[in-house]
Amino acid sequence: QAGGQPGAGAEAREQGSPHLHPTYFCFFYPPEKGDFLALDLGGTNFRVLLVKVSDNGKQKVEMENQIYAIPEELMRGSGSELFDHIAECLANFLERLGIKNQKLPLGFTFSFPCQQTKLDESILVSWTKGFKSHGVEGRDVVSLLRKAIKKRGDFDIDIVAVINDTVGTMMTCGYDDHHCEIGLIVGTGTNACYMEEMRHLELVEGDEGRMCVNMEWGAFGDDGALDDLRTDFDREIDAGSLNPGKQLFEKMISGMYMGELVRLILVKMAKEDLAFKGHTTPDLLTTGHFQTSFVSAIENDKSEGLVSAEKVLRGLGLDPSGEDCVATQRVCQVVSTRAAHLCAATLVSVLRQIRDNKAAERLRTTIGLCLSSPRFARRLHKMVRRLVPDCDVRFLRSEDGSGKGAAMVTAVAYRLATQHAERQRVLDALRLSREQLLEVKRRMGEEINRGLAKESHDQATVKMLPTYVRSTPDGTEHGDFLALDLGGTNFRVLLVRVRGGKRRSVEMHNKIYAIPQEAMQGTGEELFDHIVHCIADFLEYMGMKGASLPLGFTFSFPCHQNKLDQGILLKWTKGFKATGCEGEDVVSLLKDAIHRREFDLDVVAVVNDTVGTMMTCGYEDPLCEVGLIVGTGTNACYMEEMQNVELVEGDEGRMCVNMEWGAFGDHGELDDFSTEFDRAVDDCATNPGKQRYEKMISGMYLGEIVRNILLEFTAKGLLFRGKLSERLKTRGIFETKFLSQIESDRLALRQVRSILQHLGLTSSTCDDSILVKEVCSVVARRAAQLCGAGLAAVVDKIRQNRNLSELKITVGVDGTLYKLHPHFSSIMHETVRDLAPQCEVTFLQSEDGSGKGAALITAVACRIRDAGQR
């Protein structure tokens, strides 16, 4: 018995036979319609077919075909001449039918040993059947045919699929019976194919769904597995063959060898005086003189069989008796029966494999057959049913399997290829070329300059706000500092101990406090009194009650700064509504609350989280002069030359500018890179028309872009079989964390499916999972590239400011998207390298930028202030 799944795994392929070859044919029999061409090449003649498939309530297939000969000199000549001849015959066929000007899809049945890497690519391993055309082995036969057609230039076709004849047989029978999942050919040679679970095919990516595998089972036994069943006659046939030691199973059951087996047995019987009165003849002793067609004629149980036996034996120069004719008939029956039973036994292994895959008590299935002998078929059926009584097996004879089957595969593949092309057309709008990214970089550079200049600042989308942070840490900072981090419904109070010198370090202690709803939406006094109450509680908790410390305030709301310790709140966001704060300086509001509490704190700096990130990383790496956040939102800051910061007086030194780059594109700068999906997300946002760059990059919006693409694909029938779930229609349901999970290299497709099931897509397929993964990948890649293009503009600006041919600089980065997405950071790095080749950029991940950064800004400000007082 063939046993389990020989050759399915990589290790088994090395050790055993037969080798299972993936065919990349995974789909099955939905109704198709249209006109398709098929090319059937597997011997000295080949056929071209036009197959018309109609589906007006009842499936119907009509075929026209033409047989063409392949001259012997082409079979053994150059490969290019062979394929030129095939292209010429194809042109003749199209012209005869008057369809030469149509571009029809074509399926190519190529019945030689091949290694397939995809449905429309097949590498010839070795020629068989007398072919020896040079320059073809080791090459893709589809490419060779395409090249020959292109060289002619008088017609064009779309080669969609290449299959072998066994797959064609299964597919043809499957068109009539959808339970068909095995194809079997026993003719001159023999082979089988069946639908195997993807999880068992280690050579192919993906673990869900099924793929047809070409068993190439003629090689079963080449590793010695059949040695105890092989006879001296089998060994003699093998020794005299063109390929000794190969295709041993085929040599026991296929038509090419049946007649020769019978001849060898008759010769032995004659030599041992068991037949023909011990006489032999030159014809009986000549290889190939007892043809397989003789076996079929002689094994007939009726008297016609004996008549045929006498006629054949006399044709071989023998003078047979009645007993000789009966003995010869018996030999033919035994040889043929053994072949049918061996075939049945291996087929049973395949049936058991399918049954076990399905974990079914009883298997109901159909086998598509292409057999030359009806008697062989009857013996095969009988033995299969005897060996697997728990399987309900139907045998369906294939009519013209290889031609019609190729057209069926082509019909399905063509529909899938059309759908694939439509999906790629949609996704291509989100794929940015290098030229487009360079243009984004150029436009960002322009907006940076507009934001820095006094004259154009008001009209600029990138506001380039001065932060009054004049220096990054130099390592001499020391002391105890308080930091206050307010950016949501919770806030933190931190004590940061900075130690300078050789053993410099930063030690942090913090406590998180909630802000009650009534404080968020009451008066400003109530809010800041609550904050100061929490600061006092923290100092007491740290055993520092009454201490007067410098304080840095991370305040992550839109502010306008005129100096380091002043921030005018422009507008509350994130659910805050406290009255009397908008338009006021939040540092003054905090100081007033401190005085009401009657203790003393020195509020030195108010900063945003991006600047905090830069300062935190600047403490670790003195080359860090850029801060970047890519999380729920996105922003950047960097050290700009004072002479370029026209909103602030003075030309000496540098100042950190808060770019507020999320608004880039608000005046249409990104319209030609924006898609219908970006517009849909923007239209439904709370701030339509605002923060356009942020909406293409940051975590808050990427999941929503993906959801809109999935809706479009489903509406067009390209995904989820065109069926939407109610949950997928819900805004915000596709969280950005799903992108990170789905794109994780460690995540199997079945885990992607579990995410889809969470979204109500309970009947999603393996192919759906693959497509969803691709959509996530395209959206995240574009985000990372757009972010990289903006950053390339920033580092190149710094390089040009300093008149350097090469710049070495570090970017401090924070944000969940950057940190948690499996590919975002590497794609962004690669984009910056590509678009700013004169800048050597290092990326340093920030740990706790908003809290530690505020303290470090305060420490730097104190250092500069102390130096000025000395």
Side-chain angles (χ1 to χ4, degrees):
Q1 140 170 335
Q5 40 186 354
E11 194 178 318
R13 286 179 58 81
E14 292 301 313
Q15 297 168 357
S17 62
H19 287 180
L20 303 190
H21 295 290
T23 64
Y24 294 83
F25 173 65
C26 305
F27 33 84
F28 238 54
Y29 323 118
E32 307 298 335
K33 54 186 175 183
D35 291 0
F36 306 95
L37 289 168
L39 183 59
D40 184 5
L41 176 63
T44 51
N45 293 326
F46 76 97
R47 286 187 309 155
V48 185
L49 303 93
L50 175 66
V51 183
K52 292 174 176 284
V53 186
S54 55
D55 182 39
N56 47 357
K58 188 180 177 186
Q59 294 174 341
K60 188 180 173 190
V61 179
E62 297 173 81
M63 295 193 293
E64 287 195 51
N65 74 88
Q66 176 81 42
I67 294 174
Y68 295 91
I70 299 180
E72 193 158 335
E73 63 269 18
L74 289 181
M75 289 171 65
R76 299 167 192 279
S78 84
S80 62
E81 287 175 0
L82 172 65
F83 282 94
D84 285 347
H85 174 68
I86 293 169
E88 188 179 333
C89 296
L90 199 48
N92 170 272
F93 180 77
L94 296 174
E95 197 159 326
R96 187 172 69 79
L97 294 181
I99 54 173
K100 204 171 178 184
N101 60 342
Q102 294 181 37
K103 185 178 180 179
L104 293 175
L106 177 138
F108 187 10
T109 305
F110 188 76
S111 301
F112 297 90
C114 284
Q115 185 72 49
Q116 270 189 265
T117 47
K118 46 188 181 181
L119 191 58
D120 64 347
E121 184 177 273
S122 196
I123 313 296
L124 176 65
V125 176
S126 60
W127 282 119
T128 54
K129 309 175 192 177
F131 278 75
K132 283 278 190 283
S133 295
H134 50 84
V136 183
E137 289 181 350
R139 295 182 67 187
D140 172 27
V141 294
V142 175
S143 297
L144 293 170
L145 180 57
R146 281 184 178 138
K147 191 176 175 185
I149 291 167
K150 192 175 180 184
K151 189 162 72 175
R152 287 182 62 87
D154 59 339
F155 72 95
D156 194 13
I157 54 170
D158 189 2
I159 303 171
V160 172
V162 58
I163 63 168
N164 85 352
D165 47 0
T166 322
V167 181
T169 297
M170 181 187 75
M171 194 64 187
T172 298
C173 296
Y175 189 75
D176 299 317
D177 180 343
H178 291 194
H179 289 105
C180 184
E181 51 194 336
I182 301 172
L184 169 66
I185 289 179
V186 186
T188 312
T190 182
N191 195 13
C193 67
Y194 73 99
M195 297 301 290
E196 177 58 90
E197 298 296 314
M198 286 281 283
R199 66 180 183 271
H200 294 152
L201 298 175
E202 292 176 15
L203 295 177
V204 181
E205 248 186 67
D207 57 1
E208 296 212 15
R210 303 199 300 168
M211 179 179 284
C212 178
V213 288
N214 166 20
M215 293 183 70
E216 290 293 344
W217 79 358
F220 176 42
D222 290 6
D223 60 350
L226 296 174
D227 284 0
D228 52 344
L229 297 179
R230 292 174 70 227
T231 64
D232 290 342
F233 307 113
D234 295 307
R235 282 185 271 277
E236 192 174 340
I237 276 187
D238 179 50
S241 69
L242 291 170
N243 55 348
K246 304 289 182 192
Q247 301 293 103
L248 297 182
F249 183 59
E250 183 169 85
K251 287 168 185 169
M252 295 172 82
I253 75 167
S254 79
M256 184 177 271
Y257 304 98
M258 289 294 98
E260 188 59 13
L261 266 173
V262 171
R263 186 189 71 79
L264 291 173
I265 295 167
L266 294 179
V267 168
K268 186 172 177 65
M269 287 170 69
K271 285 181 176 177
E272 294 187 4
D273 206 16
L274 298 173
F276 316 127
K277 297 175 184 170
H279 294 147
T280 59
T281 65
D283 277 334
L284 183 64
L285 294 172
T286 304
T287 301
H289 273 211
F290 199 104
Q291 296 168 24
T292 296
S293 58
F294 298 166
V295 179
S296 300
I298 293 169
E299 67 171 331
N300 196 326
D301 288 332
K302 297 178 183 169
S303 56
E304 291 95 332
L306 293 172
V307 171
S308 297
E310 184 177 5
K311 184 179 174 185
V312 168
L313 293 171
R314 289 193 186 282
L316 295 171
L318 294 162
D319 182 18
S321 65
E323 281 184 5
D324 290 335
C325 291
V326 170
T328 301
Q329 185 182 51
R330 186 72 191 123
V331 170
C332 289
Q333 288 169 343
V334 167
V335 167
S336 182
T337 301
R338 182 188 76 152
H341 288 178
L342 282 170
C343 188
T346 44
L347 204 50
V348 163
S349 277
V350 176
L351 289 165
R352 284 183 176 152
Q353 173 73 6
I354 293 172
R355 185 193 62 194
D356 292 349
N357 285 345
K358 293 181 177 180
E361 280 188 32
R362 283 193 80 79
L363 175 68
R364 183 188 170 201
T365 192
T366 298
I367 299 171
L369 298 174
C370 184
L371 302 175
S372 50
S373 163
R375 191 170 290 99
F376 185 99
R378 284 197 296 275
R379 288 176 181 140
L380 177 73
H381 302 179
K382 193 174 177 183
M383 184 52 71
V384 166
R385 288 183 178 129
R386 190 171 154 194
L387 291 174
V388 275
D390 53 350
C391 292
D392 299 322
V393 184
R394 180 187 180 207
F395 292 88
L396 187 60
R397 289 288 290 271
S398 162
E399 301 304 323
D400 189 56
S402 48
K404 182 176 166 186
M408 294 296 99
V409 173
T410 303
V412 181
Y414 187 66
R415 174 176 53 81
L416 293 183
T418 305
Q419 291 181 343
H420 176 74
E422 173 59 17
R423 288 193 290 260
Q424 294 311 310
R425 186 192 64 74
V426 172
L427 292 178
D428 279 348
L430 291 116
R431 293 186 173 107
L432 299 175
S433 66
R434 186 170 188 272
E435 288 66 35
Q436 287 175 306
L437 291 169
L438 281 167
E439 181 59 19
V440 172
K441 176 192 170 187
R442 188 189 67 74
R443 293 181 195 179
M444 176 66 88
E446 281 184 355
E447 282 303 303
I448 287 172
N449 290 330
R450 280 161 56 80
L452 287 170
K454 207 170 196 174
E455 199 178 293
S456 52
H457 173 81
D458 290 346
Q459 289 78 48
T461 53
V462 180
K463 286 298 181 191
M464 308 300 288
L465 303 172
T467 65
Y468 296 86
V469 171
R470 303 290 304 269
S471 174
T472 52
D474 68 0
T476 64
E477 295 81 11
H478 66 279
D480 291 356
F481 304 92
L482 277 178
L484 184 58
D485 183 7
L486 176 63
T489 50
N490 291 326
F491 77 102
R492 289 187 307 156
V493 185
L494 304 95
L495 172 66
V496 182
R497 294 194 155 121
V498 182
R499 298 292 171 260
K502 285 182 181 175
R503 300 184 65 184
R504 69 197 192 106
S505 63
V506 176
E507 181 191 326
M508 292 196 299
H509 304 272
N510 74 86
K511 198 170 177 187
I512 295 172
Y513 295 90
I515 299 183
Q517 193 76 12
E518 56 271 22
M520 286 171 68
Q521 304 191 346
T523 66
E525 268 194 18
E526 287 168 343
L527 174 63
F528 281 92
D529 281 348
H530 174 71
I531 289 168
V532 171
H533 167 77
C534 295
I535 294 171
D537 174 80
F538 178 74
L539 287 171
E540 192 166 334
Y541 166 75
M542 292 300 298
M544 300 175 69
K545 189 176 179 180
S548 177
L549 296 174
L551 181 141
F553 188 8
T554 301
F555 188 74
S556 299
F557 297 90
C559 279
H560 178 74
Q561 279 188 266
N562 288 317
K563 47 187 181 175
L564 185 60
D565 61 352
Q566 183 190 71
I568 310 296
L569 175 64
L570 299 176
K571 186 184 178 186
W572 279 123
T573 56
K574 309 175 193 178
F576 279 73
K577 292 269 169 57
T579 58
C581 298
E582 290 182 358
E584 297 296 323
D585 172 23
V586 294
V587 174
S588 297
L589 294 172
L590 181 63
K591 281 179 175 174
D592 291 345
I594 290 167
H595 293 146
R596 282 195 295 276
R597 184 86 188 187
E598 294 184 350
F599 71 98
D600 193 26
L601 287 173
D602 180 11
V603 184
V604 173
V606 60
V607 299
N608 88 350
D609 47 2
T610 319
V611 182
T613 295
M614 181 187 78
M615 294 301 269
T616 301
C617 295
Y619 188 76
E620 304 294 326
D621 181 348
L623 290 176
C624 182
E625 297 185 79
V626 183
L628 171 67
I629 287 184
V630 197
T632 312
T634 183
N635 194 14
C637 67
Y638 72 97
M639 297 302 291
E640 178 57 88
E641 306 300 313
M642 274 295 292
Q643 63 198 28
N644 295 333
V645 186
E646 293 184 12
L647 296 182
V648 180
E649 281 185 23
D651 286 349
E652 291 300 310
R654 295 173 184 147
M655 179 180 284
C656 178
V657 287
N658 166 19
M659 294 179 68
E660 289 296 342
W661 78 358
F664 176 50
D666 289 4
H667 290 171
E669 303 94 319
L670 294 170
D671 284 2
D672 44 346
F673 307 114
S674 179
T675 66
E676 59 188 288
F677 311 110
D678 298 304
R679 290 186 281 279
V681 168
D682 182 52
D683 289 344
C684 296
T686 52
N687 56 346
K690 304 289 182 193
Q691 301 293 101
R692 298 299 297 272
Y693 187 55
E694 181 168 81
K695 285 171 184 167
M696 295 170 86
I697 288 177
S698 76
M700 183 176 272
Y701 304 100
L702 295 191
E704 193 57 11
I705 294 172
V706 168
R707 187 183 72 88
N708 276 279
I709 297 170
L710 301 186
L711 289 177
E712 169 86 352
F713 280 173
T714 310
K716 288 184 171 179
L718 305 174
L719 188 63
F720 308 134
R721 297 191 177 95
K723 291 173 187 162
L724 267 182
S725 74
E726 284 304 312
R727 281 177 73 79
L728 194 62
K729 293 179 190 172
T730 310
R731 271 190 64 223
I733 194 75
F734 200 102
E735 299 170 50
T736 295
K737 72 174 182 184
F738 293 158
L739 269 83
S740 297
Q741 290 169 2
I742 285 170
E743 275 211 77
S744 167
D745 295 327
R746 294 187 304 277
L747 197 67
L749 287 175
R750 70 163 61 94
Q751 290 166 288
V752 176
R753 261 180 92 177
S754 74
I755 291 171
L756 296 178
Q757 282 165 352
H758 166 73
L759 297 171
L761 300 157
T762 49
S763 60
S764 64
T765 65
C766 173
D767 287 338
D768 290 334
S769 298
I770 291 166
L771 180 54
V772 169
K773 194 167 183 174
E774 185 181 9
V775 172
C776 291
S777 170
V778 168
V779 169
R781 183 175 187 81
R782 183 188 69 155
Q785 287 179 323
L786 284 170
C787 189
L791 197 55
V794 171
V795 293
D796 246 354
K797 171 85 167 76
I798 296 170
R799 182 184 63 78
Q800 289 160 8
N801 284 345
R802 300 175 191 181
N803 293 316
L804 297 171
S805 57
E806 300 283 335
L807 171 72
K808 200 169 181 183
I809 195 165
T810 298
V811 177
V813 199
D814 204 350
T816 48
L817 185 61
Y818 180 88
K819 287 180 173 179
L820 301 181
H821 190 280
H823 308 302
F824 188 99
S825 59
S826 58
I827 295 167
M828 190 188 84
H829 299 171
E830 178 191 311
T831 306
V832 175
R833 268 197 309 273
D834 183 39
L835 303 184
Q838 291 165 275
C839 300
E840 188 186 322
V841 184
T842 303
F843 292 87
L844 186 58
Q845 210 161 285
S846 161
E847 299 305 325
D848 192 48
S850 50
K852 187 171 166 185
L856 286 167
I857 290 168
T858 305
V860 171
C862 289
R863 167 173 62 78
I864 293 169
R865 185 176 65 187
D866 292 349
Q869 287 170 357
R870 281 202 293 272

